Amino acid sequence: MTKTILVTGGTGMVGRLVVDRLAAEGHAVRVLSRRAPEAVPGAAATLAADLRSGGPRLAAAVEGADTVVHLASTPTGGDTRSAANLFGAARRAEVPHVVLISIAGVDRSPLPYYRTKLRVEQALADSGLGWTLLRTTQFHGLVQKICALLAKAPLAVVPLIPLQPVDAGEVADRLVALATREPAGRAADFGGPRVATFPDLMRCYLRWSGRRRPLMPAPLPGRTMAAFRAGRHLAPAVGRIGFEEFLAARRPHPRRGTEER
Ligand SMILES: NC(=O)c1ccc[n+]([C@@H]2O[C@H](COP(=O)([O-])OP(=O)(O)OC[C@H]3O[C@@H](n4cnc5c(N)ncnc54)[C@H](OP(=O)(O)O)[C@@H]3O)[C@@H](O)[C@H]2O)c1
């Protein structure tokens, strides 16, 4: 049965993959983001709105939706307000199901962004809405972006922590499966296929981008880094596409060290 599904953050790294997949299955997809373009391929409607403001645009976006997939996030602040606005609007519109993405280990790290994600998770669980929560590890694309940033310095100082990056396409597949079923509460955490040290991923990135940089693996101080060193952000290995395979499927831009578009 096809559904009407609102995807907040449907223009982002994982959001656009979710939108593609839902549209390919024949669902009527609404995309909401602050700077949503007038049209998104496959989407039945796009809505430019800031979740932090709420109001009539948000009410219109949720009206008649069977499911809301909440992916939007503003790391600079406001996610708890966005969540309160969205969950309130969804409750008033009697939306049967809200699917939320979060990050593995948000309850085991003092990182302020993780604490915010945990508050959003709790707000959804307390909202009275039907809900499903999926926590995942870091996307390959995020690790690639951080590696590109670190490679700008003549000496790349790389935190000596384990990472377990996951393919955003595989996460999107899982989100779509969850969004088209009944509310399931907390789903099993979803991690990438392998754990590697960040310096090893950086070496892999440097090989792929054809860059040469001396690396300094650094056991950085502080409670947040200690939580990462202890692997509190890791998850069961569910995904199949590793960082190497992710990069191998892309062409590096000759100068920028990011992928060619
Ligand atoms: N990246 C990772 O490694 C990772 C890992 C696990 C979980 N997650 C979670 O997955 C979700 C998506 O991550 P991502 O990396 O795909 O994000 P992203 O690429 O940064 O995209 C964020 C999306 O949210 C929209 N947005 C941001 N603030 C908004 C606001 N106030 N109101 C409305 N729309 C807003 C953005 O569009 P506009 O700029 O147009 O508003 C964009 O569509 C986030 O909740 C994140 O915490 C990410």
Side-chain angles (χ1 to χ4, degrees):
M1 196 182 66
T2 58
K3 297 184 179 225
T4 298
I5 302 181
L6 169 68
V7 182
T8 73
T11 57
M13 193 182 291
V14 72
R16 67 177 91 107
L17 303 177
V18 170
V19 170
D20 281 351
R21 284 158 172 74
L22 287 171
E25 288 191 8
H27 300 288
V29 187
R30 299 173 183 169
V31 172
L32 181 147
S33 87
R34 290 166 300 183
R35 293 162 295 184
E38 270 182 27
V40 170
T46 64
L47 303 119
D50 190 330
L51 285 170
R52 295 171 296 186
S53 312
R57 281 171 165 239
L58 181 54
V62 295
E63 188 58 43
D66 299 301
T67 306
V68 172
V69 182
H70 183 33
L71 308 175
S73 175
T74 325
T76 48
D79 277 359
T80 42
R81 187 152 29 104
S82 292
N85 289 337
L86 179 66
F87 302 157
R91 208 171 34 238
R92 286 188 292 280
E94 300 183 3
V95 174
H97 188 189
V98 175
V99 178
L100 174 69
I101 189 167
S102 187
I103 307 171
V106 286
D107 50 346
R108 301 190 296 263
S109 164
L111 188 68
Y113 182 58
Y114 281 22
R115 297 207 159 175
T116 301
K117 298 290 297 181
L118 184 61
R119 278 197 290 276
V120 171
E121 288 185 4
Q122 284 162 349
L124 181 59
D126 295 342
S127 66
L129 289 156
W131 59 276
T132 302
L133 167 69
L134 179 68
R135 289 183 181 175
T136 82
T137 54
Q138 288 65 44
F139 305 154
H140 295 315
L142 175 67
V143 174
Q144 180 196 29
K145 272 189 188 166
I146 298 173
C147 288
L149 273 178
L150 294 175
K152 285 185 191 245
L155 170 70
V157 178
V158 186
L160 191 50
I161 56 170
L163 286 176
Q164 189 188 357
V166 69
D167 186 72
E170 292 184 315
V171 170
D173 289 338
R174 184 85 184 111
L175 285 166
V176 165
L178 293 169
T180 50
R181 294 182 196 149
E182 296 299 305
R186 181 161 170 203
D189 290 3
F190 196 107
R194 290 185 289 281
V195 178
T197 68
F198 199 166
D200 278 347
L201 295 172
M202 182 71 187
R203 286 185 192 99
C204 183
Y205 163 81
L206 289 172
R207 273 195 304 277
W208 170 80
S209 62
R211 312 194 133 198
R212 287 169 178 271
R213 286 287 179 286
L215 280 192
M216 189 169 84
L220 298 176
R223 287 196 309 134
T224 296
M225 279 299 150
F228 278 117
R229 268 199 304 283
R232 298 203 192 125
H233 58 301
L234 303 179
V238 185
R240 299 158 72 101
I241 300 171
F243 191 58
E244 295 85 345
E245 295 93 84
F246 167 84
L247 290 178
R250 287 157 175 81
R251 264 185 357 156
H253 187 284
R255 284 187 314 283
R256 289 202 297 268
T258 50
E259 72 195 58
E260 194 135 52
R261 295 198 186 275

